[in-house]
Amino acid sequence: MNQPGTPITDPPTCDDRLLWDVWLSFYQLPVLTVADEMGLFPLLAREPVTVEEVAQALGLSPRAAETMTGILVSVGFLAHYGGRLHLTDPARNYLLPDGPFYWGGMIHRMRTHPATAPIREALQQDGARGRFTDAWERGEVDPEQVRAFTRAMHSHSFAAATGMARNGDFSGVRRLLDVGGGSGCFCIALAQLYPELQCTVMDLPEVCALAQEYAAAEGVGGRIGTAALDMFRDPWPEGHDALFFSNIFHDWEPERCLELARKAFGVLPPGGRIYLHEMLLSDTRTGPLPAISFSMSMLLFTRGKQYSAGELDAMLRECGFRDVAVTPTYGYYSLVTAVRPE
């Protein structure tokens, strides 16, 4: 039997960026198609504009405009200089309808493709399909859907969890609360490396039952507990010196993220730490391509988006946290940490 603190699951021999690249590439052609359909490229041919001006001119929400233009900057059709968006040479040559080399004949064929319709709807209606998080927020989730979703999140998070546990600084942490912890894969990875660490997965009751199964299967069930509650409606358990959130803030709009950060501040003791594990946008929020493409997924299914380190820093400081730091941990992921002052 494995001893506490002995790694049970060996980390992968390479990171999973290739999988992310292939999966997230799904969004690029539909976004280009909808941008062409909306007239984005002729708009920018007249003069460079800001993301906010794109939103106003095309009738988009700021979140949708940021996501669409960010993807197009990252793939190379737009450039971001001095706070304004410019056309690149490929866009000027091939994406202007009046040009002799316009690719419209090919791009227009994608307008009726099944992959394009949901992207168009999400961009035009600011995530009209974002009902998934609404159901979780109300606590109205089907058990089979919960199991399938938890399995999916575990599959794309467990490798990242092993890297996060090895590259993040959890020294001195004795009790950690994983908010919206899902399968508990991050607690599992931490428990395998830190023999004195006790973890609690906080999630809906159906998810907590699954987390207990995953923890038991990895041999650390005795050191990972659960707290079955609604993170928006119920009081949070106290007595933890660290709170951990992975892929939670990106599900919600800034106001909801601030609510979560304030709750974390309220239950942490002085000197306690908060950890945010996310795929971060650049300061200009125009890339990198995996992060801004992940924002398209958030636009489709949630009320959130990927955030930059600066945006998360500002949220945490507004809630009273200090000593904000960012550490790249695994693949495209980073860990944003902060401390509740003594």
Side-chain angles (χ1 to χ4, degrees), residues 5-337:
T6 301
I8 300 170
T9 305
D10 291 331
T13 59
C14 64
D15 67 40
D16 59 359
R17 282 179 288 188
L18 180 59
L19 272 299
W20 280 103
D21 291 345
V22 172
W23 180 54
L24 293 170
S25 67
F26 169 84
Y27 300 111
Q28 295 168 25
L29 184 53
V31 165
L32 174 64
T33 301
V34 176
D36 171 81
E37 185 179 339
M38 289 180 174
L40 173 66
F41 303 108
L43 171 69
L44 294 178
R46 293 194 288 271
E47 63 176 339
V49 298
T50 65
V51 174
E52 292 76 16
E53 290 168 339
V54 167
Q56 183 175 10
L58 301 184
L60 302 175
S61 71
R63 179 172 71 136
E66 175 186 294
T67 303
M68 179 176 71
T69 58
I71 289 175
L72 295 170
V73 169
S74 289
V75 297
F77 292 117
L78 304 181
H80 189 268
Y81 300 123
R84 293 184 174 273
L85 298 164
H86 303 247
L87 295 182
T88 62
D89 281 347
R92 288 192 178 277
N93 277 284
Y94 303 112
L95 296 177
L96 294 178
D98 293 337
F101 306 111
Y102 177 48
W103 257 55
M106 289 296 291
I107 296 172
H108 293 175
R109 293 174 63 87
M110 277 296 295
R111 290 182 177 179
T112 57
H113 192 282
T116 304
I119 301 296
R120 180 188 297 113
E121 181 183 1
L123 288 169
Q124 292 179 334
Q125 302 184 34
D126 191 34
R129 293 174 180 252
R131 303 184 184 96
F132 184 75
T133 36
D134 293 343
W136 281 76
E137 185 180 25
R138 296 191 301 267
E140 299 171 357
V141 288
D142 177 81
E144 286 305 311
Q145 183 187 41
V146 167
R147 183 172 291 274
F149 180 76
T150 302
R151 186 185 308 115
M153 295 303 99
H154 185 87
S155 72
H156 89 30
S157 295
F158 197 21
T162 64
M164 181 280 305
R166 285 162 174 77
N167 295 310
D169 180 11
F170 292 85
S171 58
V173 176
R174 291 292 175 263
R175 296 197 65 204
L176 179 139
L177 180 67
D178 187 354
V179 181
S183 72
C185 61
F186 290 93
C187 290
I188 291 168
L190 287 167
Q192 291 174 350
L193 289 183
Y194 291 88
E196 302 302 320
L197 180 62
Q198 293 287 328
C199 297
T200 303
V201 175
M202 186 176 91
D203 215 311
L204 297 177
E206 299 88 345
V207 183
C208 285
L210 295 173
Q212 291 172 334
E213 293 178 16
Y214 278 104
E218 294 293 340
V220 289
R223 297 182 36 233
I224 297 177
T226 58
L229 53 86
D230 184 313
M231 67 181 180
F232 290 117
R233 293 181 175 85
D234 298 328
W236 290 12
E238 298 184 358
H240 299 87
D241 54 356
L243 267 68
F244 181 86
F245 301 76
S246 180
N247 287 333
I248 298 298
F249 274 47
H250 77 174
D251 284 338
W252 305 101
E253 63 271 41
E255 295 76 17
R256 273 300 205 190
C257 294
L258 284 169
E259 180 183 344
L260 293 173
R262 290 190 182 101
K263 285 192 170 187
F265 191 90
V267 299
L268 279 171
R273 284 181 259 177
I274 186 172
Y275 296 86
L276 309 180
H277 182 253
E278 293 280 359
M279 201 178 289
L280 298 176
L281 290 176
S282 64
D283 289 340
T284 60
R285 302 191 298 280
T286 55
L289 182 56
I292 194 66
S293 297
F294 208 12
S295 257
M296 189 69 242
S297 184
M298 297 304 106
L299 185 69
L300 275 165
F301 301 112
T302 78
R303 301 215 302 262
K305 71 182 199 76
Q306 298 306 122
Y307 293 100
S308 67
E311 288 175 305
L312 294 177
D313 180 294
M315 290 180 195
L316 293 175
R317 291 184 185 279
E318 182 173 338
C319 297
F321 289 100
R322 296 293 181 267
D323 300 327
V324 181
V326 180
T327 304
T329 55
Y330 178 89
Y332 293 125
Y333 275 93
S334 295
L335 197 62
V336 178
T337 62

